[in-house]
mmCIF file with all atom_site columns, all heavy atoms in Angstrom:
data_model
loop_
_atom_site.group_PDB
_atom_site.id
_atom_site.type_symbol
_atom_site.label_atom_id
_atom_site.label_alt_id
_atom_site.label_comp_id
_atom_site.label_asym_id
_atom_site.label_entity_id
_atom_site.label_seq_id
_atom_site.pdbx_PDB_ins_code
_atom_site.Cartn_x
_atom_site.Cartn_y
_atom_site.Cartn_z
_atom_site.occupancy
_atom_site.B_iso_or_equiv
_atom_site.pdbx_formal_charge
_atom_site.auth_seq_id
_atom_site.auth_comp_id
_atom_site.auth_asym_id
_atom_site.auth_atom_id
_atom_site.pdbx_PDB_model_num
ATOM   1  N N   . GLU W 1 76  ? 100.448 96.787  89.300  1.00 0.00 ? 1223 GLU W N   1
ATOM   2  C CA  . GLU W 1 76  ? 100.455 96.983  90.799  1.00 0.00 ? 1223 GLU W CA  1
ATOM   3  C C   . GLU W 1 76  ? 101.512 98.032  91.116  1.00 0.00 ? 1223 GLU W C   1
ATOM   4  O O   . GLU W 1 76  ? 101.497 98.707  92.120  1.00 0.00 ? 1223 GLU W O   1
ATOM   5  C CB  . GLU W 1 76  ? 100.826 95.603  91.494  1.00 0.00 ? 1223 GLU W CB  1
ATOM   6  C CG  . GLU W 1 76  ? 100.640 95.695  92.961  1.00 0.00 ? 1223 GLU W CG  1
ATOM   7  C CD  . GLU W 1 76  ? 100.468 94.498  93.653  1.00 0.00 ? 1223 GLU W CD  1
ATOM   8  O OE1 . GLU W 1 76  ? 100.158 93.409  93.008  1.00 0.00 ? 1223 GLU W OE1 1
ATOM   9  O OE2 . GLU W 1 76  ? 100.552 94.339  94.937  1.00 0.00 ? 1223 GLU W OE2 1
ATOM   10 N N   . LYS W 1 80  ? 103.805 103.538 88.456  1.00 0.00 ? 1227 LYS W N   1
ATOM   11 C CA  . LYS W 1 80  ? 103.940 104.528 89.530  1.00 0.00 ? 1227 LYS W CA  1
ATOM   12 C C   . LYS W 1 80  ? 105.185 105.347 89.272  1.00 0.00 ? 1227 LYS W C   1
ATOM   13 O O   . LYS W 1 80  ? 106.229 104.910 88.592  1.00 0.00 ? 1227 LYS W O   1
ATOM   14 C CB  . LYS W 1 80  ? 104.092 103.799 90.846  1.00 0.00 ? 1227 LYS W CB  1
ATOM   15 C CG  . LYS W 1 80  ? 102.833 103.150 91.303  1.00 0.00 ? 1227 LYS W CG  1
ATOM   16 C CD  . LYS W 1 80  ? 103.045 102.251 92.591  1.00 0.00 ? 1227 LYS W CD  1
ATOM   17 C CE  . LYS W 1 80  ? 101.734 101.622 93.095  1.00 0.00 ? 1227 LYS W CE  1
ATOM   18 N NZ  . LYS W 1 80  ? 102.036 100.617 94.104  1.00 0.00 ? 1227 LYS W NZ  1
ATOM   19 N N   . GLU W 1 82  ? 107.562 105.619 91.267  1.00 0.00 ? 1229 GLU W N   1
ATOM   20 C CA  . GLU W 1 82  ? 108.720 104.826 91.894  1.00 0.00 ? 1229 GLU W CA  1
ATOM   21 C C   . GLU W 1 82  ? 109.426 103.991 90.688  1.00 0.00 ? 1229 GLU W C   1
ATOM   22 O O   . GLU W 1 82  ? 110.654 103.711 90.790  1.00 0.00 ? 1229 GLU W O   1
ATOM   23 C CB  . GLU W 1 82  ? 108.495 103.985 93.040  1.00 0.00 ? 1229 GLU W CB  1
ATOM   24 C CG  . GLU W 1 82  ? 107.626 102.738 92.686  1.00 0.00 ? 1229 GLU W CG  1
ATOM   25 C CD  . GLU W 1 82  ? 107.568 101.708 93.897  1.00 0.00 ? 1229 GLU W CD  1
ATOM   26 O OE1 . GLU W 1 82  ? 108.522 101.404 94.495  1.00 0.00 ? 1229 GLU W OE1 1
ATOM   27 O OE2 . GLU W 1 82  ? 106.359 101.386 94.040  1.00 0.00 ? 1229 GLU W OE2 1
ATOM   28 N N   . GLU W 1 268 ? 91.134  98.596  95.370  1.00 0.00 ? 1415 GLU W N   1
ATOM   29 C CA  . GLU W 1 268 ? 92.255  97.711  95.998  1.00 0.00 ? 1415 GLU W CA  1
ATOM   30 C C   . GLU W 1 268 ? 91.730  96.804  97.011  1.00 0.00 ? 1415 GLU W C   1
ATOM   31 O O   . GLU W 1 268 ? 92.431  96.679  98.051  1.00 0.00 ? 1415 GLU W O   1
ATOM   32 C CB  . GLU W 1 268 ? 93.393  98.689  96.497  1.00 0.00 ? 1415 GLU W CB  1
ATOM   33 C CG  . GLU W 1 268 ? 93.896  99.757  95.539  1.00 0.00 ? 1415 GLU W CG  1
ATOM   34 C CD  . GLU W 1 268 ? 94.967  100.562 96.070  1.00 0.00 ? 1415 GLU W CD  1
ATOM   35 O OE1 . GLU W 1 268 ? 95.588  100.132 97.071  1.00 0.00 ? 1415 GLU W OE1 1
ATOM   36 O OE2 . GLU W 1 268 ? 95.212  101.598 95.529  1.00 0.00 ? 1415 GLU W OE2 1
HETATM 37 O O1  . G3I D 2 .   ? 109.833 93.578  91.458  1.00 0.00 ? 483  G3I D O1  1
HETATM 38 C C1  . G3I D 2 .   ? 110.933 94.465  91.853  1.00 0.00 ? 483  G3I D C1  1
HETATM 39 C C2  . G3I D 2 .   ? 112.228 93.667  91.905  1.00 0.00 ? 483  G3I D C2  1
HETATM 40 O O2  . G3I D 2 .   ? 112.568 93.230  90.631  1.00 0.00 ? 483  G3I D O2  1
HETATM 41 C C3  . G3I D 2 .   ? 113.328 94.567  92.463  1.00 0.00 ? 483  G3I D C3  1
HETATM 42 O O3  . G3I D 2 .   ? 114.525 93.731  92.637  1.00 0.00 ? 483  G3I D O3  1
HETATM 43 C C4  . G3I D 2 .   ? 112.828 95.072  93.778  1.00 0.00 ? 483  G3I D C4  1
HETATM 44 C C5  . G3I D 2 .   ? 113.987 95.990  94.227  1.00 0.00 ? 483  G3I D C5  1
HETATM 45 O O4  . G3I D 2 .   ? 113.434 97.040  94.939  1.00 0.00 ? 483  G3I D O4  1
HETATM 46 O O5  . G3I D 2 .   ? 111.717 95.774  93.654  1.00 0.00 ? 483  G3I D O5  1
HETATM 47 C C6  . G3I D 2 .   ? 110.566 95.041  93.246  1.00 0.00 ? 483  G3I D C6  1
HETATM 48 O O6  . G3I D 2 .   ? 109.473 95.784  93.004  1.00 0.00 ? 483  G3I D O6  1
HETATM 49 C C7  . G3I D 2 .   ? 108.737 96.032  94.196  1.00 0.00 ? 483  G3I D C7  1
HETATM 50 C C8  . G3I D 2 .   ? 107.224 95.931  93.770  1.00 0.00 ? 483  G3I D C8  1
HETATM 51 O O7  . G3I D 2 .   ? 106.365 96.277  94.858  1.00 0.00 ? 483  G3I D O7  1
HETATM 52 C C9  . G3I D 2 .   ? 106.913 94.574  93.159  1.00 0.00 ? 483  G3I D C9  1
HETATM 53 O O8  . G3I D 2 .   ? 107.007 93.659  94.328  1.00 0.00 ? 483  G3I D O8  1
HETATM 54 C C10 . G3I D 2 .   ? 109.017 97.384  94.696  1.00 0.00 ? 483  G3I D C10 1
HETATM 55 O O9  . G3I D 2 .   ? 110.289 97.511  95.211  1.00 0.00 ? 483  G3I D O9  1
HETATM 56 C C11 . G3I D 2 .   ? 107.995 97.840  95.898  1.00 0.00 ? 483  G3I D C11 1
HETATM 57 O O10 . G3I D 2 .   ? 108.107 99.160  96.184  1.00 0.00 ? 483  G3I D O10 1
HETATM 58 C C12 . G3I D 2 .   ? 106.567 97.612  95.313  1.00 0.00 ? 483  G3I D C12 1
HETATM 59 O O11 . G3I D 2 .   ? 105.727 97.814  96.373  1.00 0.00 ? 483  G3I D O11 1
HETATM 60 C C13 . G3I D 2 .   ? 104.389 98.054  96.083  1.00 0.00 ? 483  G3I D C13 1
HETATM 61 C C14 . G3I D 2 .   ? 103.914 99.275  96.895  1.00 0.00 ? 483  G3I D C14 1
HETATM 62 O O12 . G3I D 2 .   ? 102.535 99.680  96.677  1.00 0.00 ? 483  G3I D O12 1
HETATM 63 C C15 . G3I D 2 .   ? 104.728 100.614 96.604  1.00 0.00 ? 483  G3I D C15 1
HETATM 64 O O13 . G3I D 2 .   ? 104.670 100.841 95.346  1.00 0.00 ? 483  G3I D O13 1
HETATM 65 C C16 . G3I D 2 .   ? 103.504 96.883  96.321  1.00 0.00 ? 483  G3I D C16 1
HETATM 66 O O14 . G3I D 2 .   ? 103.708 95.839  95.387  1.00 0.00 ? 483  G3I D O14 1
HETATM 67 C C17 . G3I D 2 .   ? 102.044 97.279  96.139  1.00 0.00 ? 483  G3I D C17 1
HETATM 68 O O15 . G3I D 2 .   ? 101.117 96.151  96.463  1.00 0.00 ? 483  G3I D O15 1
HETATM 69 C C18 . G3I D 2 .   ? 101.629 98.488  96.970  1.00 0.00 ? 483  G3I D C18 1
HETATM 70 O O16 . G3I D 2 .   ? 100.300 98.913  96.631  1.00 0.00 ? 483  G3I D O16 1
HETATM 71 C C19 . G3I D 2 .   ? 99.829  100.057 97.327  1.00 0.00 ? 483  G3I D C19 1
HETATM 72 C C20 . G3I D 2 .   ? 98.967  100.974 96.468  1.00 0.00 ? 483  G3I D C20 1
HETATM 73 O O17 . G3I D 2 .   ? 99.857  101.375 95.447  1.00 0.00 ? 483  G3I D O17 1
HETATM 74 C C21 . G3I D 2 .   ? 98.337  102.122 97.163  1.00 0.00 ? 483  G3I D C21 1
HETATM 75 N N1  . G3I D 2 .   ? 97.491  101.675 98.296  1.00 0.00 ? 483  G3I D N1  1
HETATM 76 C C22 . G3I D 2 .   ? 98.209  100.717 99.233  1.00 0.00 ? 483  G3I D C22 1
HETATM 77 C C23 . G3I D 2 .   ? 98.843  99.558  98.413  1.00 0.00 ? 483  G3I D C23 1
HETATM 78 C C24 . G3I D 2 .   ? 99.438  98.617  99.390  1.00 0.00 ? 483  G3I D C24 1
HETATM 79 O O18 . G3I D 2 .   ? 100.583 99.137  100.046 1.00 0.00 ? 483  G3I D O18 1
#
Side-chain angles (χ1 to χ4, degrees):
E1223 190 158 350
K1227 291 174 180 171
E1229 74 171 310
E1415 305 183 18

